Amino acid sequence: MQSISPRVRALAVSQTLAMSQKSAELKAQGADVINLSVGEPDFNTPRHIKDAAIKAIEDNFSFYSPVPGYMSLRKAISDKLSRENRLSFAPEQIVVGNGAKHALCNVIMATVAPGDEVIIPTPAWVSYMEMVKLAEGTVVEIPTGLESDFKLSAEQLENAITPRTRAILLCSPSNPTGSVYSREELQAIVDVLARHEQVLVIADEIYEHIIYTGGDFVSLGSFAEIADRTVIINGVSKAYAMTGWRIGYCAAPVEIAKAVSKLQGQYTSGASSIAQKAAEAAYTGPQDCVEEMRKAFQRRRDLVVRLAREIPGLKVNEPQGAFYLLPEVSAFIGLSTPAGKKIENSGDLAMYLLEEALVATVDGNAFAAPGYIRLSYATSDENLTEAFRRISDALGKLK
Ligand code: PMP
Ligand code: GLU
C-alpha cells in the first residue's frame, strides 16, 4: 500500500465529474441514462474556431508556448475585457491556464497562506472549497437559501469578515444556483468590501454570457472601489462550447499575475499551443454563436422551471443565468423507495434517481447545499422532457 499525502487525502473527489463518469459507465453497460450531472454545453465548437486550430497545426504551433500564454491571446483577452466588461487589464496582468479551473487554483495557491480565511457564499461550485483546502486555507462558508434567491447580503458578508480574511470568492451567474447579482446587489457587497482593504476579490465570471436578465452582465471588476484588488476568472469553455480545449485565464493585479506565472512555470508550463490559437479566434471572431447558444439555454431554462414546478414537493427558483437548476428536495427526505430503502438525505435521493429513473444529477452536498440536488439543463429539449417525466414518476413512487 502506498501512503498518500494528507493534502490529497483530505481532498474530496469532484462529484460533478464522478457522477458524469458513473453515468457514462452505466450507459456503456447499455442503460438508457440521461446525464444531467456534469455542466457543459452540448453544442459543438463553432466552425471558425475549429478552423483556427487546424490552421495552428498546419502553421506548426507545436512548440512550448510562453508560460502565461501567447501575447496575441493575452492581447485579445485584454481587448475583450475592455470591450465587453469595461475593465482595464494590460496583457501583462493576464495569465492563460488549462481552463478556468486551473486559473482559479493558480490564484488561490498564489495568494492564500495556511490559515488564511477565504469566504465562499454557498451553495458554491464543488471545486472552490477543495482548492482552498489544497492551499491549507480555511473555508468560511456563508449559507444562503431559496428565500434570498441564494444571494449573499451585505450584512452577512460584513459579519463574516475577520482580520484573517484573505479573499472572497464570488460567482455570478452562479454554478450551481443560476443566480445573477444585479448592479445594486453588487454595489451593496462592494460597499462592504471597500471597508476591508486586505480582502482580495476573486470573481468567477465564466457564465457571463449565459444570462437571462435581459440586461447587461455586470463585472465585479468594474467597481472602482475594489478594482485594484479584484481578480477575474474566465475562459472559453462555456461561452464558446470549448470545455475539452482547456483554456481559461486570470486577470489580476500584476504581482499576482507574476506569482501565478511562476507557479505555472514549475507546475504545468504554458497551456496547449493549438487550443490557445483556437481561443484567440473565439475572442476575435464573430460572436453570433454566443448569442445563439444563450437563446437555446434560455428556452431550456423556461422548460425545466415549468417542468420542475409541476412536480409536487420540488421547490425551485427561476435561475437568471448559467445552465443549472438546484431544486430543494427536503419533502422527499425520510420517505422510502418501493424496495423499502429509506431516503436519508439528498445524496440518497440523487442515487435513487439514477437507479430508478436513470437520470444522473448531483447531490447538493457537493456544493455545500444539503437538501438540494443539482441538474444541468445543457441538453436537448427532448432529453429534458423525458428526464423530468422519469423524475416525476420516480418521486411519485416514494412513500
Ligand atoms: N467555474 C465554474 C463556476 C464552473 O462551473 C466551471 C466549470 N467547470 C469552471 C469554473 C471551470 O471551467 P473550465 O475549467 O472548463 O474553464
Ligand atoms: N463546471 C461543470 C460542473 O460543475 C463541469 C465539471 C467540473 O469541472 O466540475 O458540472
Side-chain angles (χ1 to χ4, degrees):
M1 256 319 244
Q2 292 300 315
S3 74
I4 301 301
S5 73
R7 178 176 288 122
V8 171
R9 258 189 284 137
L11 218 55
V13 168
S14 166
Q15 285 305 314
T16 46
L17 300 180
M19 262 316 244
S20 182
Q21 177 69 29
K22 194 169 167 92
S23 113
E25 279 164 17
L26 283 172
K27 257 191 191 162
Q29 291 162 17
D32 170 27
V33 177
I34 301 178
N35 184 7
L36 307 185
S37 63
V38 76
E40 62 175 338
D42 55 328
F43 302 105
N44 292 323
T45 301
R47 183 74 255 167
H48 67 282
I49 300 176
K50 293 200 257 195
D51 285 343
I54 292 166
K55 182 166 185 317
I57 295 174
E58 297 297 350
D59 290 351
N60 297 310
F61 278 90
S62 49
F63 301 90
Y64 285 129
S65 64
V67 171
Y70 288 123
M71 189 39 103
S72 53
L73 173 57
R74 290 153 78 207
K75 277 199 176 119
I77 294 170
S78 167
D79 289 347
K80 171 255 179 283
L81 290 171
S82 157
R83 186 178 67 239
E84 294 184 348
N85 309 116
R86 292 193 213 106
L87 304 182
S88 168
F89 284 98
E92 291 69 27
Q93 293 178 270
I94 292 162
V95 182
V96 175
N98 301 290
K101 187 184 267 185
H102 180 218
L104 176 60
C105 200
N106 274 342
V107 169
I108 291 174
M109 295 305 276
T111 58
V112 175
D116 279 354
E117 294 176 359
V118 179
I119 293 176
I120 303 178
T122 59
W125 181 43
V126 280
S127 296
Y128 292 168
M129 289 66 88
E130 302 310 310
M131 288 175 183
V132 173
K133 273 166 45 185
L134 205 53
E136 296 175 37
T138 304
V139 175
V140 177
E141 290 178 12
I142 307 184
T144 68
L146 255 182
E147 66 297 337
S148 65
D149 191 22
F150 303 105
K151 288 181 197 165
L152 167 75
S153 71
E155 193 187 356
Q156 279 179 304
L157 175 58
E158 185 71 69
N159 291 337
I161 295 177
T162 75
R164 298 219 57 133
T165 307
R166 173 67 184 107
I168 176 168
L169 234 164
L170 276 171
C171 183
S172 172
S174 158
N175 174 7
T177 68
S179 301
V180 177
Y181 286 84
S182 68
R183 183 180 295 281
E184 294 70 32
E185 288 162 343
L186 287 179
Q187 184 66 60
I189 286 172
V190 167
D191 288 345
V192 175
L193 292 170
R195 291 197 288 275
H196 300 278
E197 281 179 11
Q198 86 278 16
V199 182
L200 181 72
V201 182
I202 306 175
D204 183 344
E205 302 189 338
I206 187 101
Y207 294 101
E208 65 167 328
H209 287 297
I210 305 172
I211 187 165
Y212 321 121
T213 55
D216 282 343
F217 166 74
V218 184
S219 169
L220 247 189
S222 66
F223 292 82
E225 301 93 314
I226 54 164
D228 62 350
R229 53 187 162 97
T230 298
V231 176
I232 305 291
I233 302 293
N234 208 331
V236 291
S237 284
K238 314 289 163 158
Y240 300 96
M242 293 176 70
T243 47
W245 296 79
R246 309 308 305 132
I247 295 291
Y249 63 86
C250 68
V254 76
E255 321 81 76
I256 294 181
K258 277 190 186 149
V260 163
S261 195
K262 180 167 78 169
L263 174 64
Q264 186 160 297
Q266 292 291 17
Y267 203 48
T268 60
S269 306
S272 153
S273 51
I274 308 301
Q276 284 192 59
K277 291 313 255 181
E280 197 179 317
Y283 286 124
T284 55
Q287 300 296 306
D288 349 346
C289 52
V290 177
E291 175 59 13
E292 272 164 34
M293 291 188 268
R294 190 202 68 79
K295 276 200 192 125
F297 289 132
Q298 181 157 4
R299 195 187 61 240
R300 294 164 179 182
R301 187 279 310 261
D302 294 344
L303 176 67
V304 294
V305 168
R306 181 170 62 71
L307 294 174
R309 286 189 172 153
E310 282 170 8
I311 300 179
L314 277 192
K315 286 194 223 138
V316 295
N317 66 341
E318 184 177 70
Q320 298 299 309
F323 35 63
Y324 304 102
L325 193 66
L326 191 74
E328 204 253 4
V329 294
S330 57
F332 305 98
I333 313 275
L335 301 184
S336 293
T337 69
K341 189 176 173 297
K342 195 164 167 204
I343 303 289
E344 305 276 2
N345 49 45
S346 48
D348 285 353
L349 191 72
M351 209 38 82
Y352 170 68
L353 290 178
L354 181 59
E355 284 161 5
E356 178 70 27
L358 295 178
V359 176
T361 60
V362 185
D363 173 16
N365 275 297
F367 308 93
Y372 294 84
I373 56 170
R374 191 196 75 171
L375 291 77
S376 159
Y377 56 85
T379 186
S380 68
D381 296 20
E382 297 72 47
N383 271 348
L384 293 169
T385 307
E386 173 62 11
F388 273 88
R389 192 192 62 71
R390 293 186 191 178
I391 291 173
S392 178
D393 271 6
L395 293 178
K397 288 186 196 156
L398 294 173
K399 292 266 163 18

